[in-house]
Amino acid sequence: MEVVRCTWAKPREVVLETEGKTIYHAGDTALFSDLRLIGEDAPIDLALLPIGDHFTMGPKDAAKAVEFLAPKHVVPIHYGTFPPLVGDPQEFVRLAKGKGADIHVLQPGEAFEF
């Protein structure tokens, strides 16, 4: 995979443009208003958004991030791996419904192609 542009920004997220696709990985980011600027800068094909609700966005804030970023696809991340990360992916799906993105809840080891 060839990286065309990789932009690091605070608070620890990355926008990756490769093979004609733009991927936004939020890392352990909480919701912040500049997500709108990221979404306006380039159409986002895939957003990886944390929903754990401890140190990160929870389902409600992640659904708002979908609104701000306007991605085509979203994969929820950083939930259910240890007790404090209580975010529920089905709650996120419910809250993000109708915001224009296809939501893909993956099981450990499962892949997603877009």
Side-chain angles (χ1 to χ4, degrees):
M1 176 163 68
E2 181 181 334
V3 175
V4 177
R5 182 182 84 161
C6 183
T7 306
W8 289 93
K10 292 182 181 179
R12 307 295 186 264
E13 76 270 357
V14 64
V15 176
L16 180 70
E17 291 179 339
T18 184
E19 298 177 14
K21 302 283 186 184
T22 301
I23 302 165
Y24 173 74
H25 191 300
D28 288 334
T29 303
L31 183 66
F32 63 108
S33 63
D34 281 356
L35 288 173
R36 289 181 193 268
L37 298 175
I38 293 169
E40 291 172 3
D41 184 49
I44 300 198
D45 296 293
L46 173 64
L48 305 167
L49 299 178
I51 63 163
D53 210 18
H54 186 74
F55 304 122
T56 71
M57 295 180 235
K60 181 179 175 185
D61 284 350
K64 181 57 84 173
V66 171
E67 228 176 274
F68 288 178
L69 293 165
K72 293 177 185 168
H73 302 277
V74 177
V75 173
I77 60 171
H78 295 183
Y79 65 92
T81 53
F82 65 99
L85 298 181
V86 297
D88 178 2
Q90 296 312 314
E91 179 185 4
F92 171 66
V93 169
R94 182 181 60 77
L95 293 169
K97 186 176 181 177
K99 297 190 184 291
D102 292 329
I103 311 298
H104 308 274
V105 177
L106 304 180
Q107 298 304 310
E110 189 176 0
F112 167 69
E113 290 189 37
F114 62 101

